[in-house]
Structure formats: structure tokens, C-alpha cells
Amino acid sequence: MSNETDVVYAGDHGIERKLDIYRPRGEAKRAAILFFHGGGWRGGAKEGMRPDAQNMANEGYVGIPVQYRLSGQAPYPAHIHDVKAAIRWVRAHAADLDIDPEKIILWGSSAGAHLSLLAAGTPNQPEFEGDGPHQVVSTAVAAVIAVHPPVEFHTGESVSRHTTPCTNLLGENAPAEACKAASPMTYVSEAFPPTLLLHGTRDQLVNHAASQAFFEAMRGAKATVDMHLFNGHNHGFAALPSMRALIKPLVADFLDRNVMDPAKYQAEVEQFSMFARGRQPGAPAPNVVAASV
């Protein structure tokens, strides 16, 4: 099947929202990754995520860059409404896309990472769903890849390196309650989908403390989370060709372990780990021969 560009997934309010579809090359994993661009909620375009979508199509995933309404077109919560509409569209078209509807993954960069985390933490919550098509379809997702994500908003002066000014998203004089409701950190729980956080340590727009804080919150909730910090890298590092080449196998491994075949990895732990649950301290792992003295 051929790739497609500028497919309309929602079109109300006089603005067509579009996505691209990059189909797997080689053996298909029957899973889809939706890509959401950065740009401070005010700029950016889905075309910026096409290289990542093509990379993951080469790994067997259906790669889907998505355009959402920007703040100049419609104020928040239009952004998250569009993210949810895109998830519903993909799930509703799972048969056409040849994907498992339970294996829909989100990948976001910066503002897109914020929206991806927010969507992942609020499945089927009416206040985030909007009035787009396929209302009866679930917006639950299987996993999230978040690249330098804003995770929590503050009003007034910042008291922490990990928060982002709420004015960036909601404008001046936004009430604290609305800022909290728009913060992915608010929705962390044990049920949060498996999440991979990627951040540069010299990020001057979203301090890497944001990913660290989210990582610790997820660990505290006993949710599945991995984090990779990249020393010396600034905001937008993931678009560098060398970093794209590095990140692709990291993401593929994370998804293999947590979405595609977690049982295989658990079996590997049980077989080879010296610290598998229930094994006596000092006992050799199965199929490991203890050295004689």
C-alpha cells in the first residue's frame, strides 16, 4: 500500500485538520505511532515530524504525523481536542491501516510532547475529548514517547526548574486551576501508559528537570517509565541526523519491551537474571553453570 499525505481526520469549525500516513516497509508490526510537532503551541507543522515517521515505518510501524490547530487558529483546549480526534480517527480506521487498535502510540516533541502526555493521562475524559468525529471511539493509548516535554505549568513567578509558564499555553491571567488541569503531571497514576522521556541537559526552553520530575512522579506511582538524558544537548536535539539515528533503536527497544512483546522480555529476565523474583541470593540463573573451585 502506498503512503498518503494530507488526509483529513477532522474538519469542523471551518479548519481542516490533516495527517500523513507512512506505511511499514518490510514486516509490519501492526501498530501505529502518531507524531505531534513542537512549536510552542503557536507554530510548527506535521511536516517536521515526517523524518521520524519514515524512520519508524522502516521499523515496521505505521507512522502518522498529525497537524493540530495552533493558538492563532483556536485557543486551548482546541489543541488537545485535535490530538484526541486523531487518536479516534486512527482507531476507527484500524482495519484500513492494518493495525491492532490496542497498539496506538503517541510521539511528541516539545509542545507536541506535552499534548501527547496529556492525552495519554486523560483517556476518554469528556473535558478533553472535544466534539470531533468518532465520539464513541476510545482515546486510550498504549505508550508515549516524549521529547523535551513541558509537564507542569506555573502561574506567577516560577518556584521550580521543572515547570513552564502557563501564559505560554493559556495566555495572561489564566487561573491556577486551569493551568493544573492542562498539566500532564496532574494525571500521573499507576495506570499511565508506558512512557519514554528524552531530554538534553542544556535545554534552555524546557529544563531537563521537567523530564526528571515526571520520571520520579511515574516511579512513585509505580507506572512504567524510562528516561534518557543527553549530555550537552539543547532543545530540538532530536532533529539532528546523528540523534535521529541514535533515538530510533532506543524507541524501538522501548516499544518492543513494553508494547509489542513484553512477555518475551519478561521470559528473558526469568531465564537469565541473577535477581529474578523468587530466586535465592547467590543461586545461578537457569541454564547458567556455576563455576567450580
Side-chain angles (χ1 to χ4, degrees):
M1 293 184 290
S2 62
N3 300 326
E4 301 175 67
T5 59
D6 295 327
V7 177
V8 176
Y9 70 89
D12 50 349
H13 307 297
I15 302 173
E16 287 187 334
R17 272 85 81 202
K18 300 177 181 180
L19 52 79
D20 304 329
I21 302 170
Y22 292 91
R23 302 183 187 277
R25 298 175 184 176
E27 185 176 355
K29 292 184 178 290
R30 300 203 66 241
I33 305 178
L34 281 65
F35 293 83
F36 298 95
H37 62 84
W41 305 280
R42 296 176 175 84
K46 62 181 171 61
E47 286 75 14
M49 302 301 288
R50 283 177 174 174
D52 297 301
Q54 292 166 331
N55 269 346
M56 296 311 294
N58 291 338
E59 293 292 318
Y61 295 90
V62 177
I64 304 178
V66 178
Q67 189 69 50
Y68 54 89
R69 282 172 290 175
L70 305 175
S71 296
Q73 298 171 303
Y76 180 88
H79 319 64
I80 189 64
H81 289 173
D82 288 352
V83 171
K84 298 284 194 146
I87 296 169
R88 293 195 302 268
W89 187 93
V90 170
R91 179 164 278 119
H93 290 81
D96 298 332
L97 295 169
D98 192 27
I99 65 166
D100 181 341
E102 300 307 311
K103 292 180 179 176
I104 295 174
I105 300 148
L106 307 183
W107 178 325
S109 176
S110 195
H114 157 259
L115 295 171
S116 297
L117 291 173
L118 185 61
T122 60
N124 308 314
Q125 292 192 21
E127 62 269 33
F128 295 97
E129 296 299 313
D131 57 0
H134 308 295
Q135 282 290 310
V136 298
V137 177
S138 172
T139 53
V141 299
V144 186
I145 314 301
V147 183
H148 38 62
V151 300
E152 189 169 12
F153 296 106
H154 68 259
T155 57
E157 293 295 324
S158 173
V159 296
S160 174
R161 292 189 306 159
H162 81 267
T163 63
T164 298
C166 193
T167 54
N168 291 4
L169 177 63
L170 299 183
E172 298 294 335
N173 303 317
E177 295 80 6
C179 298
K180 181 178 180 181
S183 298
M185 190 76 80
T186 301
Y187 307 98
V188 170
S189 72
E190 188 173 4
F192 205 98
T195 298
L196 174 61
L197 301 163
L198 306 171
H199 219 125
T201 61
R202 289 190 179 178
D203 195 320
Q204 297 176 347
L205 292 181
V206 181
N207 193 284
H208 67 278
S211 284
Q212 290 177 306
F214 200 82
F215 176 81
E216 292 300 334
M218 291 279 283
R219 281 177 51 85
K222 296 182 171 57
T224 298
V225 62
D226 280 5
M227 177 176 64
H228 293 272
L229 298 180
F230 298 91
N231 184 57
H233 280 285
N234 207 328
H235 206 73
F237 75 96
L240 299 175
S242 62
M243 296 307 296
R244 277 200 169 109
L246 175 63
I247 288 170
K248 181 174 75 169
L250 290 178
V251 172
D253 171 72
F254 177 82
L255 294 178
D256 279 346
R257 287 186 287 112
N258 294 289
V259 177
M260 305 311 302
D261 198 356
K264 180 185 76 173
Y265 286 89
Q266 183 57 41
E268 184 179 51
V269 170
E270 295 296 331
Q271 181 177 359
F272 293 106
S273 175
M274 302 295 286
F275 304 98
R277 183 177 301 175
R279 188 164 297 147
Q280 294 297 318
N287 300 326
V288 177
V289 178
S292 60
V293 293

